[in-house]
Amino acid sequence: MSSRKNVVYWHETESVTPEPPLRDDVDCDVAIVGGGYTGLWAAHFLKEAEPALDIRVVEAKHSGYGASGRADGFVTPTIGKDIQALVEEFGTRRALEASQAVGRSILEIGRFTRRNKIDAEYEANDYLMVATDQAQLRRLRADRELATTIAGREQPELLSGSQARELIGSPAILGAMRTGGALVNPFRLARGVARVVKERGVTVYENTPVLRVDRGVRPTVVTPGGRITADKVIIAANAHQFTFEAFRNKTVPIWSYAMVSEPLTEEQLGRIAWEGREGLVEAKTFLTCARFTADNRLMWAGGPALYFYGRDMRRRRMNETRAYRELHKEFGRFFPMWRDLKFTYTYGGTVDVTRDYAPHFGSLPGGNVFYGYGFNGNGIAATHTGGKVLRDLVLGKDSEYARLLYVDDKHRKQRDFPPEPFLYVGARATTRLMEWKESRA
């Protein structure tokens, strides 16, 4: 390996001049906690529906700094990591409604970037869900059967190993399923959405961490420099959602890691079939994935899903040697022809994982504090859909989005994680259990 930058690759693709922090007490119609995708899309759709609304967004760092700006950039139709469980709980019709809504978001994000001249490096390339052993092949077959059941029509046949390797020439691939989707530069997308909402009159305060949200007839967002009193508040803090009292045991931050190479030469690119530039995702819960960036770097991401005691999210966890050791091992298995490839960026970030591996939207008792979180590492398209959900919940509209299975009601309850030290023990045991189950699927 060459010397590496322990910084997020995407963050170096666009310069940032942060907005001023909140330095006063203000009043508005809607306050949004979190300047990532969920909060920004909610602001966008609210402003689009009701242009006169005074909307204020507060962000601890700058828009796109967190999970939104360090994602792997896969825009997928994922509605949850355990789709079978969602079907069993809500039925095929409601699962189809959620799947179709998120699928539309993939296309709408592309149109949004073109219409607003956001250079988010959007590529409608689809992606391949690949199998590298017999257990994963069985999972692909089961996923295809489930997709057929949900959609009510026969899905395309799985690709054989030889067919899949014609698309992505990795000797590790034994079969694949092509899935609709796109690739983006996630940081540029987040910065672009932030620019658009600001141009439409939304105020964004950056470098403004939120200390707490005081609930009441008109809730108050409390920060070190001032307070925002609003008619409605949205808490969309992603992996930091647990820092708010009402969500203390609803999510855990799980670390995921990535490596980004130097740009590949023409000779290196010529060693492998990958002309379509599709994303690659391994068919397992704690996935490994790969993709090209716009300048032909290779991103290799995933590795072990790590939880650190006490929900530790300190920056020093970016430099976990064991995570990169595992990533390098897997990279060599997939792409032995690229053993000379130098990775110049290594970094990590946290994913907001829920007990049911699916997003949650709704309102807290009292009805004027709303929330959206729990994307479990698959949020680029789902947060766009979630912005519409939050729009309609805040505006009190009985719409198709307000009725999606993601919305909590008396029939769908949020399940809590246990407190420490049981959480730490349970997180480690769950990871091992999932790996064991998948090896025997």
Side-chain angles (χ1 to χ4, degrees), residues 77-100:
T78 310
I79 64 170
K81 283 194 176 295
D82 192 344
I83 304 175
Q84 182 64 55
L86 292 177
V87 171
E88 291 173 359
E89 182 176 358
F90 297 103
T92 55
R93 180 184 62 81
R94 296 197 68 193
L96 177 62
E97 290 171 350
S99 180
Q100 290 175 332

Side-chain angles (χ1 to χ4, degrees), residues 246-296:
F247 307 98
R248 188 75 67 207
N249 296 314
K250 305 300 184 186
T251 70
V252 294
I254 300 295
W255 281 80
S256 180
Y257 293 86
M259 308 188 303
V260 179
S261 76
E262 62 188 0
L264 275 69
T265 66
E266 288 299 321
E267 188 276 330
Q268 288 171 321
L269 288 169
R271 296 179 196 171
I272 181 173
W274 204 340
E275 286 76 14
R277 295 173 58 85
E278 298 92 348
L280 177 153
V281 178
E282 192 174 6
K284 57 183 183 179
T285 299
F286 302 118
L287 56 83
T288 300
C289 62
R291 57 161 294 186
F292 287 114
T293 64
D295 58 351
N296 284 333

Side-chain angles (χ1 to χ4, degrees), residues 28 82 113 133 139 161 328 401:
C28 67
D82 192 344
T113 61
D133 59 32
R139 178 174 179 176
H328 270 280
Y401 290 101

Side-chain angles (χ1 to χ4, degrees), residues 9 258-262 293 297-299 342-345 347:
Y9 162 72
M259 308 188 303
V260 179
S261 76
E262 62 188 0
T293 64
R297 299 172 185 268
L298 185 75
M299 166 176 283
K342 294 181 173 63
F343 287 95
T344 50
Y345 293 85
Y347 56 91

Side-chain angles (χ1 to χ4, degrees), residues 174-385:
L174 302 181
M177 181 169 61
R178 191 178 192 99
T179 302
L183 300 174
V184 295
N185 178 324
F187 185 62
R188 285 189 171 184
L189 176 61
R191 297 301 301 173
V193 181
R195 171 179 63 78
V196 170
V197 299
K198 287 184 288 187
E199 289 173 350
R200 294 178 182 173
V202 174
T203 301
V204 178
Y205 302 104
E206 297 183 322
N207 290 322
T208 304
V210 173
L211 302 177
R212 66 181 189 275
V213 174
D214 292 336
R215 289 149 65 182
V217 176
R218 300 192 74 230
T220 301
V221 177
V222 182
T223 79
R227 297 168 177 250
I228 304 177
T229 302
D231 294 333
K232 311 285 185 181
V233 169
I234 297 172
I235 302 178
N238 195 270
H240 294 269
Q241 194 82 8
F242 75 90
T243 62
F244 296 90
E245 183 178 1
F247 307 98
R248 188 75 67 207
N249 296 314
K250 305 300 184 186
T251 70
V252 294
I254 300 295
W255 281 80
S256 180
Y257 293 86
M259 308 188 303
V260 179
S261 76
E262 62 188 0
L264 275 69
T265 66
E266 288 299 321
E267 188 276 330
Q268 288 171 321
L269 288 169
R271 296 179 196 171
I272 181 173
W274 204 340
E275 286 76 14
R277 295 173 58 85
E278 298 92 348
L280 177 153
V281 178
E282 192 174 6
K284 57 183 183 179
T285 299
F286 302 118
L287 56 83
T288 300
C289 62
R291 57 161 294 186
F292 287 114
T293 64
D295 58 351
N296 284 333
R297 299 172 185 268
L298 185 75
M299 166 176 283
W300 182 249
L306 300 180
Y307 171 76
F308 298 103
Y309 189 87
R311 294 185 170 91
D312 187 354
M313 297 173 67
R314 288 174 292 176
R315 191 183 185 283
R316 70 183 184 87
R317 295 299 184 186
M318 291 242 296
N319 191 25
E320 283 293 317
T321 302
R322 56 178 162 160
Y324 302 120
R325 186 185 303 120
E326 181 66 23
L327 279 174
H328 270 280
K329 177 183 174 182
E330 287 295 286
F331 177 74
R333 180 169 70 96
F334 270 82
F335 300 113
M337 70 289 289
W338 279 337
R339 290 190 184 277
D340 61 336
L341 199 59
K342 294 181 173 63
F343 287 95
T344 50
Y345 293 85
T346 59
Y347 56 91
T350 48
V351 174
D352 55 336
V353 172
T354 56
R355 282 289 298 270
D356 57 4
Y357 296 108
H360 286 263
F361 294 86
S363 62
L364 298 178
N368 50 15
V369 176
F370 299 81
Y371 57 83
Y373 66 90
F375 299 97
N376 294 273
N378 294 287
I380 296 181
T383 52
H384 180 275
T385 306

